């Protein structure tokens, strides 16, 4: 079905009521590779919540592959890649809780050979107090050309100097199989045949797994590991990570922002770009 931006843009999607527990947080952190290096991610008596959990929390107990079917939009899952992701947290995420997500289609851009669909979700507690706002885009190959607007460029230029900090973080060969337990059962990350049909030689790591790993690394190196200082975090998915790759994460401190990029050590390919982390109380 061709994309109809007149129907899609502004469409409100069904509300999602969800809850989470400390066990969900522990699984999420372990799926990002957390371990004995920082027990605040893996022990209940000192547990803190990486803000990136907010993006996966509404679908954490989803056990079916996702579908890309919204008002005015219907796309083959094999054509879809995650484009960008951001989260703004209005208060530190609690270790357990209940919430309501209210998603909508915010924008639909026509890139010619592809379409970009932007979703935004506001999340509140059951009483209506704001918890976080998440914004994401998906890149649908071969779905452009429907006559919509091209959309703005949101590229973030890093300073013309060496990064202030460079850290390398290995991923595990089984990382995608572990991370899929956090609610993303897209077969692209587990099924070799599906990966080949989608144009990859083997299953790739979830973009949100890379996104979370990088956020954790930035917090550990620049914020003393205190994730409650994170106010917002955003990045664009620029390339592919295969489970077992090592991430090389480069960080620049600029004014009240931390600018971030990531690439693979093995191939040197960029995998995360335009990263911005803003802390509540400035950078330590």
């Amino acid at each position: 079905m061709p994309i109809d931006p007149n129907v899609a843009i502004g469409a409100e999607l069904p509300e999602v009521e969800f809850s989470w527990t400390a066990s969900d947080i522990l699984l999420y952190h372990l799926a990002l590779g957390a371990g004995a290096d920082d027990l605040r991610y893996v022990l209940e008596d000192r547990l803190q919540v990486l803000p990136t959990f907010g993006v996966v929390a509404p679908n954490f107990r989803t056990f079916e592959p996702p579908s890309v079917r919204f008002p005015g939009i219907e796309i083959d899952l094999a054509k879809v890649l995650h484009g960008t992701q951001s989260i703004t947290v209005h208060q530190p995420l609690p270790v357990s809780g209940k919430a309501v997500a209210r998603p909508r289609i915010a924008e639909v851009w026509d890139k010619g050979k592809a379409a970009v669909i932007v979703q935004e979700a506001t999340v509140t507690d059951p009483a209506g107090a704001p918890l976080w706002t998440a914004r994401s885009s998906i890149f649908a190959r071969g779905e452009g050309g429907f006559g919509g607007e091209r959309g703005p460029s949101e590229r973030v230029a890093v300073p013309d100097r060496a990064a202030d900090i460079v850290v390398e973080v290995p991923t595990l060969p089984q990382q995608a199989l572990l991370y899929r337990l956090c609610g993303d059962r897209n077969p692209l990350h587990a099924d070799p045949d599906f990966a080949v049909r989608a144009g990859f030689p083997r299953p790739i790591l979830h973009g949100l797994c890379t996104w979370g790993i990088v956020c954790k690394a930035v917090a550990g190196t620049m914020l003393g590991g205190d994730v409650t200082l994170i106010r917002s975090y955003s990045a664009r998915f620029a390339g592919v990570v295969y489970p077992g790759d090592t991430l090389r994460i480069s960080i620049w401190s600029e004014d009240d922002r931390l600018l971030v990029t990531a690439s693979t050590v093995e191939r040197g390919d960029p995998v995360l770009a335009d990263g911005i982390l803003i802390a509540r109380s400035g950078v330590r």
Side-chain angles (χ1 to χ4, degrees), residues 8 23 45-46 67 72 80 82 84 107 120 133 136 145 150 171 182 188 196 239-240 249 272:
S23 293
D45 64 354
R46 65 204 73 179
S67 64
V80 170
H82 207 147
T84 62
E107 306 286 354
E120 184 175 86
T133 302
S136 64
R150 183 170 180 82
T171 65
C182 298
L188 176 61
V196 169
V240 172
I249 301 164
L272 209 68

Side-chain angles (χ1 to χ4, degrees), residues 55 82-88 104-109 117-122 132-138 152 154 208 211 233-235 237:
V55 169
H82 207 147
T84 62
Q85 184 67 60
S86 70
I87 188 166
T88 299
R104 68 184 184 96
I105 303 296
E107 306 286 354
V108 178
W109 305 121
I117 296 100
V118 181
Q119 289 189 57
E120 184 175 86
T122 58
W132 66 83
T133 302
R135 189 176 174 93
S136 64
S137 71
I138 58 173
E154 298 179 343
L208 283 180
W211 189 69
Y233 170 56
S234 62
F237 302 103

Side-chain angles (χ1 to χ4, degrees), residues 34-275:
D37 59 321
D38 193 337
L39 296 179
R40 290 177 292 183
Y41 290 110
V42 294
L43 289 182
E44 294 88 336
D45 64 354
R46 65 204 73 179
L47 188 60
Q48 62 176 9
V49 185
L50 198 66
T52 52
F53 175 76
V55 169
V56 304
N59 299 309
F60 201 85
R61 294 182 177 86
T62 299
F63 304 115
E64 298 295 329
S67 64
V68 189
R69 185 175 299 141
F70 311 115
I73 299 171
E74 187 170 347
I75 299 170
D76 181 356
L77 182 61
K79 295 182 177 181
V80 170
L81 292 172
H82 207 147
T84 62
Q85 184 67 60
S86 70
I87 188 166
T88 299
V89 289
H90 307 300
Q91 55 180 288
L93 271 62
V95 170
S96 61
K98 296 181 178 180
V100 180
R102 297 176 174 86
R104 68 184 184 96
I105 303 296
E107 306 286 354
V108 178
W109 305 121
D110 187 345
K111 299 296 185 180
K113 294 183 178 180
V116 174
I117 296 100
V118 181
Q119 289 189 57
E120 184 175 86
T122 58
V123 179
T124 66
D125 68 15
L131 294 174
W132 66 83
T133 302
R135 189 176 174 93
S136 64
S137 71
I138 58 173
F139 187 85
R141 296 169 291 177
E143 295 294 334
F146 53 84
E149 295 184 19
R150 183 170 180 82
S153 173
E154 298 179 343
R155 298 296 173 89
V156 177
V158 299
D160 187 18
R161 66 174 193 273
D164 298 314
I165 295 288
V166 177
V167 59
E168 294 185 358
V169 179
T171 65
L172 302 171
Q174 69 273 29
Q175 193 106 44
L177 299 176
L178 181 57
Y179 187 84
R180 70 191 296 269
L181 302 180
C182 298
D184 188 342
R185 301 296 176 96
N186 188 336
L188 176 61
H189 309 294
D191 184 337
D193 292 336
F194 187 94
V196 169
R197 184 162 71 89
F200 300 97
R202 59 187 184 276
I204 65 175
L205 189 62
H206 303 70
L208 283 180
C209 184
T210 300
W211 189 69
I213 290 170
V214 171
C215 184
K216 177 178 176 294
V218 175
T221 55
M222 305 298 287
L223 301 178
D226 186 355
V227 301
T228 66
L229 294 177
I230 298 173
R231 187 172 68 189
S232 66
Y233 170 56
S234 62
R236 175 174 59 87
F237 302 103
V240 172
V241 176
Y242 293 100
D245 283 350
T246 296
L247 301 176
R248 178 176 288 127
I249 301 164
S250 301
I251 308 167
W252 292 262
S253 179
E254 184 182 66
D255 300 325
D256 63 343
R257 309 185 302 172
L258 295 169
L259 306 182
V260 188
T261 66
S263 60
T264 59
V265 169
E266 291 77 7
R267 297 177 303 282
D269 296 336
V271 296
L272 209 68
D274 304 332

